[in-house]
Amino acid sequence: MTSISTDPRPLRTADLGTLVIMSWSRETPDGDVPFLLACSLGDGEGGPEATPAAVEGLLSRSGLSVGGDTVLDATVLSDFPIGLLVVPGAAALTMPGVNAQFAPTAQWRAAADRRGYACLIFATRPWSGGEPGEGAAVAAFANHEDTLSSAAQVVLPVRSLRT
């Protein structure tokens, strides 16, 4: 008798390559909205061709699906496995298999403090825009149809350390 395991495959971080987190904010009619772009540089063992499948596996382990117009609102979920911790001068995105720290811009931090959330776009498409971090390039990549159609999108509550 053959049985099929429903356990997810082990996460091979070597296939993910370097994961980067970039922050920016965008003015809307309701005020400034903080965004995060998470993506691989495509420098894993399998190169940029293997990146989408590796990132999709990571997202699937965290309960996220990719593609479509669906944005998951995690601000109303109590046991969501992805978290965003923001402290003065730094922030960290945590999820099963990943703890990525980054230094948000002052404008992003102010928007996140006001809103109490940030909009995460976790791209399966590898970054292709040269040096990560330039505001216009980040926004162009994050808003590109190829990025959005293959990304997971989630609104994450901002958490901070209690003193």
Side-chain angles (χ1 to χ4, degrees), residues 9 24-25 34 65 84 99 116 125 138 141 145 158:
R9 288 182 169 163
W24 81 100
S25 60
S65 58
L84 177 60
N99 182 354
R125 178 180 172 219
V138 172
F141 179 86
E145 182 179 333
V158 171

Side-chain angles (χ1 to χ4, degrees), residues 3-99:
S3 64
I4 298 174
S5 173
T6 58
D7 292 336
R9 288 182 169 163
L11 179 63
R12 285 186 29 91
T13 55
D15 292 337
L16 293 171
T18 305
L19 290 176
V20 294
I21 308 290
M22 296 171 265
S23 64
W24 81 100
S25 60
R26 182 175 70 205
E27 189 65 33
T28 70
D30 294 331
D32 223 7
V33 175
F35 287 88
L36 292 174
L37 171 66
C39 63
S40 171
L41 295 182
D43 58 354
E45 283 182 2
E49 297 80 19
T51 298
V55 173
E56 191 167 344
L58 172 69
L59 296 172
S60 176
R61 290 175 151 285
S62 299
L64 294 176
S65 58
V66 299
D69 295 332
T70 303
V71 177
L72 179 64
D73 184 358
T75 63
V76 297
L77 302 175
S78 61
D79 291 337
F80 195 63
I82 301 174
L84 177 60
L85 176 66
V86 179
V87 297
L93 177 69
T94 57
M95 58 193 297
V98 173
N99 182 354

